[in-house]
Amino acid sequence: MRRDTVGWMSCNPAIGGLAKGQMVREVDALGGLMGRAADATGIQFRLLNRRKGPAVRSPRAQCDRQAYHDFVLREIEATPNLTLLEGVIDDLLVTDDRVRGCRAADGRRLLARAVILTAGTFLKGLLHIGSEMTVGGRMGEPSAERLGDDLRRYGFRVGRLKTGTPPRLHAKSVNFDRLEMQPGDDVPGPFSHATGRLVLEQLPCWITYTNVRTHDIIRARLDEAPLFSGQIQSTGPRYCPSIELKVVRFPDKDRHQVFLEPEGRDTDQMYCNGLATSIPRDMQVEMVHSIEGLEHAVLTRFGYAVEYDACDPTQLKPSLESKLIEGLFLAGRTER
């Protein structure tokens, strides 16, 4: 939708991880850009599950958000025979059950033999912070309001999904003396087959934990959390539950791990991995301040949830081509 957000990492600026690091290497083997971009912009590399068997070990890199965007945009603009256009797509051009292109909101008709829809959270996106609701694909960016309805018109089963993101903190307001340091690997391993040896200064991440007081703060006003007030009715991913959901689902646990991860080399903003939430703003401040090392932390951005349209993946072939419209492929959060 915007050139200045190409390659912009919506949530944590990290690549890989459990069940995902292997996929990054598969993408790289097919000529994809993600592995090379991670190697070029990573600030910490770790092989997860080293103490377990090789089958469950997985590479992960914390990246510099701005540098990753800059690298991807440069590579795309330098790629021969590839044209980058800005705009919002409102509908598909279809004749005899075959895609012929798409139409932009400004009236442009873009003709094509194949269309690949990778919409992320932008199809009729709706953001939630407490009772506040804002239309958007992610904070500060618009939503594609018409394309989901266009898919419904062509017979696609389109539902609603939900995901979330945690608050961000100003690093200078964090008491790192009370946190556990998590360094990168002594010999960092690259993602890309094209990358030789990685030589870089790695930045540490940090670990802290929620506690009984944190959980009590959440439970006391659970009726104000959109996930429990009925404001959000969509299904969320199992791999990234919100902190309020973890508190409710696991009442026997008196703490949950929180990773504080830098978002880049030239920024003081830190990502609170493990605190995804959509509770009200004042609750978020109280929750963060209840955690060891974060008693005086300044929130630079509040966490929020986002609901968005997504297609039923049983309507796709193994190639991700749609069964309903020839030449139309769906990937990247368009499926559930």
Side-chain angles (χ1 to χ4, degrees):
M1 297 168 76
R2 286 167 36 185
R3 176 187 174 279
D4 62 354
T5 58
V6 169
W8 192 251
M9 298 161 127
S10 292
C11 205
N12 190 7
I15 295 293
L18 298 179
K20 295 175 283 188
Q22 293 91 334
M23 293 181 65
V24 178
R25 286 185 167 158
E26 291 175 8
V27 168
D28 179 72
L30 292 167
L33 182 59
M34 186 185 296
R36 287 193 290 121
D39 291 345
T41 64
I43 58 179
Q44 189 193 87
F45 291 79
R46 295 182 64 234
L47 184 65
L48 307 183
N49 283 343
R50 280 186 179 274
R51 287 179 288 184
K52 298 182 180 180
V56 293
R57 294 173 192 166
S58 190
R60 182 188 188 275
Q62 185 74 8
C63 294
D64 185 306
R65 184 189 301 277
Q66 184 65 49
Y68 188 94
H69 156 74
D70 293 341
F71 182 93
V72 170
L73 183 59
R74 277 197 311 271
E75 290 290 312
I76 286 176
E77 292 190 323
T79 300
N81 304 316
L82 178 63
T83 302
L84 178 63
L85 302 176
E86 282 188 336
V88 178
I89 300 301
D90 273 355
D91 50 26
L92 301 170
L93 303 176
V94 179
T95 305
D96 298 329
D97 295 328
R98 200 193 194 297
V99 75
R100 306 295 177 180
C102 50
R103 182 183 292 108
D106 60 10
R108 281 179 296 176
R109 289 164 56 91
L110 307 172
L111 304 182
R113 288 177 294 176
V115 172
I116 306 171
L117 180 58
T118 57
T121 59
F122 283 78
L123 292 184
K124 201 165 278 194
L126 184 63
L127 312 180
H128 300 262
I129 303 179
S131 61
E132 304 171 37
M133 291 184 285
T134 308
V135 172
R138 61 185 166 207
M139 191 62 70
E141 296 185 44
S143 164
E145 287 292 289
R146 295 184 55 181
L147 192 54
D149 291 336
D150 199 48
L151 292 170
R152 291 181 177 92
R153 183 166 62 87
Y154 284 114
F156 286 92
R157 293 186 299 277
V158 180
R160 299 283 282 172
L161 289 182
K162 168 264 170 191
T163 189
T165 189
R168 273 66 155 179
L169 308 180
H170 197 291
K172 289 186 172 63
S173 66
V174 174
N175 184 356
F176 291 103
D177 291 337
R178 303 187 65 182
L179 306 184
E180 175 187 341
M181 181 188 290
Q182 185 184 53
D185 290 343
D186 292 335
V187 182
F191 277 104
S192 177
H193 298 79
T195 303
R197 184 165 165 263
L198 287 173
V199 180
L200 75 160
E201 178 189 357
Q202 298 194 74
L203 301 184
C205 295
W206 306 83
I207 300 174
T208 186
Y209 298 87
T210 63
N211 52 58
V212 172
R213 183 176 162 230
T214 311
H215 300 177
D216 287 344
I217 290 168
I218 293 170
R219 290 192 188 102
R221 294 170 58 187
L222 204 57
D223 60 335
E224 297 179 56
L227 280 173
F228 294 92
S229 68
Q231 183 174 306
I232 293 177
Q233 312 231 346
S234 308
T235 304
R238 280 178 285 179
Y239 59 82
C240 189
S242 68
I243 183 61
E244 54 267 36
L245 204 55
K246 287 191 281 190
V247 168
V248 170
R249 279 183 180 171
F250 307 105
D252 56 317
K253 291 190 176 293
D254 57 12
R255 70 176 193 172
H256 293 283
Q257 206 167 39
V258 179
F259 296 90
L260 294 181
E261 300 166 328
E263 294 202 347
R265 295 187 185 278
D266 300 317
T267 178
D268 287 320
Q269 186 157 278
M270 302 201 76
Y271 183 92
C272 295
N273 197 343
L275 284 184
T277 188
S278 57
I279 59 177
R281 296 171 192 265
D282 62 324
M283 270 182 75
Q284 292 192 38
V285 173
E286 190 178 3
M287 173 186 70
V288 168
H289 287 174
S290 71
I291 298 172
E292 187 170 8
L294 309 183
E295 293 85 353
H296 304 288
V298 174
L299 280 69
T300 58
R301 171 172 284 189
F302 289 96
Y304 62 90
V306 55
E307 290 184 286
Y308 54 95
D309 284 350
C311 288
D312 186 331
T314 61
Q315 302 165 106
L316 305 180
K317 301 175 185 178
S319 65
L320 302 187
E321 184 180 19
S322 157
K323 297 176 182 177
L324 301 180
I325 300 176
E326 186 181 356
L328 175 64
F329 296 77
L330 305 183
R333 285 268 176 87
T334 312
E335 67 289 338
R336 60 188 174 123

